[in-house]
Amino acid sequence: MVPAPVRPLPPAFGPEGRPSVVGHRGASGAAPENTLAAFEAAWRAGADAIEFDLHLTADGVAVVIHDSTVDATTDGSGEVGQLTYAAVRALDAGSWFSPAFAGQPVPRLEEILRFAVSRPELGILVEYKGEWTTAQVAVTARAVDAAGVGDRTVAQSFSPGTLEALREVAPHLPRGLLVDDDRPEAVGLAAELGVLTVNPSSAAVRADRTLVERLHDDGRRVMAWTENEPTAWADLVEAGVDGIITDRPEHLRGWLADSGRRVAPGGTSA
Ligand code: G3P
Ligand code: CA
């Protein structure tokens, strides 16, 4: 079988020849996840791209938070989808991590887009949590387009329905299918959905050494999540992933530079 051509990641995700360094929820090992402080830390660490999570508030505002409740990462409680944006915005999303970050708010999508606009080299990996309708994703896609960052954004989700909705309302936006360890049908599903990337767990890549190759042969890029350890980074590089999503972008950048120095141009260890 002739392999399908593999479309490139948006150039902002970094040069070919090494995996893209993607700061998971920002640099969430160094600052409270999914806050502007974490995204700033990721950018300063030299991450190629930032990853973040979206939920909708009760009044339909897309906010940047991982869980469906605010309990774990703010001083409040309750379902994001049951709270107004004003109520979510009043919460402290930094103190749980360290008093040094007291007062960091839960950002809304538009703030992250503005942050990226002033850092034109930064890639954006936005994850839609849960199930989104076409009307709901349309609002977010318009925000991405209005900010002028559609050419450096990848929209990812575990939900095939949400990815279909994105394809319908924003066919120009590259999309990524997230898969965990229980999705052996990823190659076929990715083809049906027409996604640019398949983003499997690091464990899935390390457990199935042919997964990346099979996805590449089918024309997909692969970004693995969420890996923080050099031993595992080495496995992912060997498997040929196109990106590594990590809480420690500062360490991954250094580790990649260092492993590059130790590999001679012919690919052998110096
Ligand atoms: O980017 C992939 C990764 O973020 C998916 O897992 O739970 O951290 O959103 P989670
Ligand atoms: Ca995520």
Side-chain angles (χ1 to χ4, degrees):
M1 195 183 80
V2 181
V6 183
R7 284 186 290 148
L9 289 171
F13 279 70
E16 297 280 345
R18 66 156 172 82
S20 180
V21 174
V22 183
H24 180 239
R25 312 181 195 173
S28 55
E33 65 181 51
N34 282 323
T35 64
L36 280 168
F39 300 124
E40 177 78 21
W43 177 70
R44 287 190 184 282
D48 297 299
I50 51 170
E51 188 265 2
F52 56 92
D53 306 291
L54 286 186
H55 283 277
L56 280 174
T57 61
D59 46 349
V61 176
V63 290
V64 179
I65 189 167
H66 178 270
D67 292 0
S68 62
T69 73
V70 298
D71 300 30
T73 55
T74 78
D75 56 349
S77 64
E79 294 280 335
V80 178
Q82 302 291 319
L83 296 168
T84 62
Y85 171 64
V88 172
R89 185 68 187 190
L91 301 174
D92 175 351
S95 290
W96 71 273
F97 188 87
S98 159
F101 295 101
Q104 280 286 318
V106 174
R108 60 186 291 169
L109 170 63
E110 287 80 356
E111 287 175 279
I112 309 306
L113 299 176
R114 277 199 297 278
F115 171 88
V117 165
S118 58
R119 290 155 185 87
E121 72 287 10
L122 192 63
I124 297 168
L125 180 60
V126 50
E127 178 178 351
Y128 290 75
K129 286 292 188 196
E131 304 291 329
W132 292 58
T133 66
T134 50
Q136 289 167 338
V137 296
V139 176
T140 63
R142 276 199 294 274
V144 169
D145 288 340
V149 296
D151 60 349
R152 51 189 168 110
T153 297
V154 176
Q156 65 172 359
S157 183
F158 284 101
S159 158
T162 300
L163 291 169
E164 290 282 20
L166 277 159
R167 174 159 62 180
E168 196 177 323
V169 303
H172 55 287
L173 266 192
R175 291 164 299 126
L177 172 65
L178 281 161
V179 291
D180 55 25
D181 311 356
D182 309 310
R183 298 296 286 273
E185 77 282 16
V187 177
L189 183 58
E192 273 173 43
L193 292 166
V195 291
L196 172 67
T197 75
V198 172
N199 300 340
S201 68
S202 170
V205 173
R206 298 175 79 201
D208 176 355
R209 293 307 177 102
T210 69
L211 178 62
V212 175
E213 192 181 351
R214 284 186 285 121
L215 287 165
H216 281 167
D217 284 350
D218 213 47
R220 314 294 155 207
R221 294 285 174 165
V222 181
M223 294 192 281
W225 52 273
T226 295
E227 195 50 77
N228 299 326
E229 296 305 324
T231 320
W233 290 337
D235 287 347
L236 297 176
V237 169
E238 193 184 332
V241 298
D242 305 291
I244 298 176
I245 300 168
T246 179
D247 300 328
R248 301 167 64 192
E250 67 287 5
H251 292 169
L252 177 54
R253 272 313 287 260
W255 181 85
L256 284 170
D258 191 47
S259 55
R261 273 195 294 276
R262 281 185 281 106
V263 175
T268 52
S269 292

